[in-house]
Amino acid sequence: MIEAAKAAKASITSVSFDDRTADVHVHRLYEDERMSCLTANLDDLRLSFRLNMPGRHWVLNGLMVLAAVRALGGDLGMAALGLADFRPGRGRGRALFMDLGDGPFCLIDDAYNANPVSLGASLGVLARRPQDKGARRIAVLADMAELGATAAACHQALIPDLKAARLDAVIALGPLMQDAARKADLAVRRADSPEQALNLLLPMLNKGDVVLVKGSRSAGLDRLVSDLLALAHQVHNQQMEDRRLQASRPGAAPQIAPMAFDPAGYGPAGYGPADYGEAKRNDMHAL
């Protein structure tokens, strides 16, 4: 493609995460479990901006956006503000915080699809995510589809990423992912459906755990995410009812609202609008 662009005498802008000879690259980066804050070099310009998600693949996407805006003569400041407002859609790596009764845990919903590059990137996010003491990293992973004759080799190539993610447990759907996880010396549980995977996952969950869900679209892991959200919504409703009853008793002390779902963003059938099912803290107030 580069040779074709040169032959057409087109302008070429190189973009890289860590190659400092590229026209657009990262100068400085800070990541935590919720965001990436970075300063980027764009030729002779240095620009700082924020992304509301962690992950080097998201950083590279942001750099590509800024490179395109600059090539078109657009407003880089407005583009940076737009990137700061962007949040990934359902199944695209969004972190959801929920509570099934034993304390909140984090679900990384990357269930929309999977390929070798995106799965490696998601495992990298999981590996760099900080953990509370005693919390675990759990992955629910399905075979990557539509890889043809390279399918087995592509799954085997993920073994270093699986090891680097420091996973405490893996629930694998499909023989190729099961084999790769075993060869990575991980504790693997086999599941033949999203429903079976959920039944294996639920007894594992503890407060502070981080769970990655990722697989090809054909695996249907979005159903597992929807079922988890529905369970968390039921738990939340019961918590609210219990607190309402407690607060109604004579002499009861004011109660603080528990972690709650945004009712405008949650649908009982699964994914709702853009803010579907994300658990978040209400402002502290007495019931």
Side-chain angles (χ1 to χ4, degrees), residues 17 31 35-36 51 53-60 121 125 128:
F17 181 86
E31 288 182 292
M35 68 178 68
S36 303
L51 296 168
M53 68 287 292
R56 297 186 175 188
H57 55 306
W58 284 111
V59 170
L60 188 57
V125 170
R128 292 188 295 273

Side-chain angles (χ1 to χ4, degrees), residues 28 37-40 42 46-50 66 76-77 80-81:
R28 185 177 291 112
C37 297
L38 66 146
T39 301
L42 293 88
R46 187 165 289 174
L47 179 68
S48 296
F49 63 100
R50 185 191 75 200
L66 293 177
L76 285 172
L81 290 173

Side-chain angles (χ1 to χ4, degrees), residues 147-157 176 179-180:
L147 294 175
T150 67
C154 286
H155 284 79
Q156 295 298 303
L176 296 177
D179 185 58

Side-chain angles (χ1 to χ4, degrees), residues 91 108 110-111 113-115 118-119 122 140-142 212-216 221:
I108 302 176
D110 212 352
N113 214 338
N115 60 56
S118 68
L119 183 48
S122 295
V140 182
L141 305 174
L212 169 66
V213 179
K214 189 164 182 66
S216 283
L221 287 179

Side-chain angles (χ1 to χ4, degrees), residues 4 112 248:
Y112 184 80
S248 67

